C-alpha cells in the first residue's frame, strides 16, 4: 500500500512556512536594554492584586509566584509574573 504523500506534504509546507515566518520575525525584533531600577521595582511588588487611586491617576499591581515540580523530588521551575499598570486621566 503506497504512503499518501500529498497530505503530509501539505501539512509540512503549511507549518514549515509558519515556523520560518516566526523565526524571521523573532530575528528582526531588536533586544531592549535591561534597566536595573525597573527590575528592582518588580522584585519589590507584593504578591496578589493591589490598586490605588488618586485624583488624576490610578495605579495597579499584580503578582503571581508559583513553583511547578515534575514529581515530588523532580526538577522544578519557578514562575514569577508581575504587572504594573498606570492609567492617567487628564482633562484637555
Amino acid at each position: 500500500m503506497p504512503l499518501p504523500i500529498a497530505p503530509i506534504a501539505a501539512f509540512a509546507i503549511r507549518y514549515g512556512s509558519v515556523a520560518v515566518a516566526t523565526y524571521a520575525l523573532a530575528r528582526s525584533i531588536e533586544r531592549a536594554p535591561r534597566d536595573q531600577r525597573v527590575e528592582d521595582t518588580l522584585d519589590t511588588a507584593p504578591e496578589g492584586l493591589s490598586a490605588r487611586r488618586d485624583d488624576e491617576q490610578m495605579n495597579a499591581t499584580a503578582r503571581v509566584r508559583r513553583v511547578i515540580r515534575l514529581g515530588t523530588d523532580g526538577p522544578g521551575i519557578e514562575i514569577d509574573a508581575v504587572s504594573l499598570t498606570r492609567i492617567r486621566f487628564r482633562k484637555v
Side-chain angles (χ1 to χ4, degrees):
M1 179 174 179
L3 185 64
I5 299 293
I8 296 172
F11 178 81
I13 289 171
R14 183 182 317 145
Y15 289 105
S17 63
V18 169
V20 168
T22 304
Y23 177 75
L25 181 67
R27 296 288 293 174
S28 68
I29 295 174
E30 193 174 322
R31 292 188 96 168
R34 180 176 290 174
D35 188 358
Q36 190 59 43
R37 296 171 301 165
V38 174
E39 293 290 326
D40 294 339
T41 303
L42 293 174
D43 288 339
T44 60
E47 189 166 352
L49 181 67
S50 63
R52 186 187 75 202
R53 182 176 174 213
D54 292 334
D55 292 334
E56 293 182 351
Q57 73 182 30
M58 178 181 211
N59 298 336
T61 62
R63 183 174 195 171
V64 177
R65 294 178 74 185
R66 297 290 181 261
V67 175
I68 298 174
R69 291 202 176 275
L70 300 175
T72 56
D73 294 332
I77 184 170
E78 180 183 16
I79 299 173
D80 186 4
V82 181
S83 173
L84 301 175
T85 305
R86 177 180 72 182
I87 300 172
R88 182 182 292 171
F89 299 102
R90 285 190 285 177
K91 198 175 206 180
V92 253

